Amino acid sequence: MSVWPAWEVQERDGATSWFHVRLAFPDGARVDALAVVCEENVSVEDVRAQPALSLDDLTMLADWIETPLVEACGLEPEGEPGEEGAESGGARRARPAWPRGIEGRWLIAQEYRAAQEEGTDPVLAVMCATGHSRRRSLRLISQARDAGFLTPRHARR
């Protein structure tokens, strides 16, 4: 497996890092991914595989690449070697749990406004908090606006 940095965004209290990841197999199969490490959480932004991954393989991708990514950032991986998922008794989720519905929309608005007040990118703050891609985070922000938790983006005339 190869891991190399794509880019990094420095913030006051930390950094969010994007990495290119390549898994190459002896039979010629290959998986290329763009992954994000933010506050020791790993999120997969984009995946390209030849041949295509099954849904089971896709769900396991984050677990395959988590330790090398955390090490590439100079952080300590959780748990001891061989104890993968020991604290939960099974596989760990790459994305933190996030409430759905009205509570989730309210929390999205809180993250967004806190980032605005700190002068940081609010969309990036939502991405880090939820572990979702930029596109999905923008959709969640839009839902928070529609629920009335954020002001409308553009005033319509």
Side-chain angles (χ1 to χ4, degrees):
M1 178 163 65
S2 305
V3 177
W4 64 97
W7 66 91
E8 183 175 83
V9 176
Q10 293 287 333
E11 297 178 311
R12 291 184 191 141
D13 55 344
T16 301
S17 303
W18 280 261
F19 291 88
H20 293 289
V21 180
R22 175 168 289 160
L23 297 161
F25 299 93
D27 64 357
R30 188 173 85 195
V31 178
D32 291 308
L34 180 63
V36 179
V37 178
C38 180
E39 298 177 10
E40 299 184 31
N41 291 318
V42 175
S43 301
V44 178
E45 289 284 318
D46 186 38
V47 177
R48 294 180 186 183
Q50 188 64 35
L53 294 173
S54 69
L55 288 176
D56 291 335
D57 289 342
L58 189 58
T59 59
M60 293 177 60
L61 179 63
D63 289 334
W64 293 344
I65 65 175
E66 181 176 27
T67 300
L69 281 171
V70 171
E71 289 171 354
C73 290
L75 303 170
E76 290 293 321
E78 291 182 9
E80 296 295 319
E83 289 187 10
E84 185 175 1
E87 59 276 345
S88 65
R92 293 185 310 249
R93 290 176 51 110
R95 180 181 302 148
W98 193 263
R100 295 178 182 243
I102 201 77
E103 181 184 2
R105 292 181 185 113
W106 183 81
L107 290 171
I108 293 290
Q110 296 300 316
E111 289 288 338
Y112 189 93
R113 282 196 298 268
Q116 280 183 321
E117 290 172 8
E118 293 173 2
T120 60
D121 182 357
V123 177
L124 186 60
V126 171
M127 289 170 60
C128 288
T130 63
H132 287 296
S133 68
R134 184 170 189 81
R135 178 178 288 172
R136 178 70 177 132
S137 295
L138 287 169
R139 226 178 278 141
L140 292 170
I141 292 166
S142 175
Q143 290 171 358
R145 286 187 199 288
D146 292 345
F149 295 125
L150 293 170
T151 58
R153 183 163 169 83
H154 302 289
R156 300 189 190 237
R157 295 180 190 196

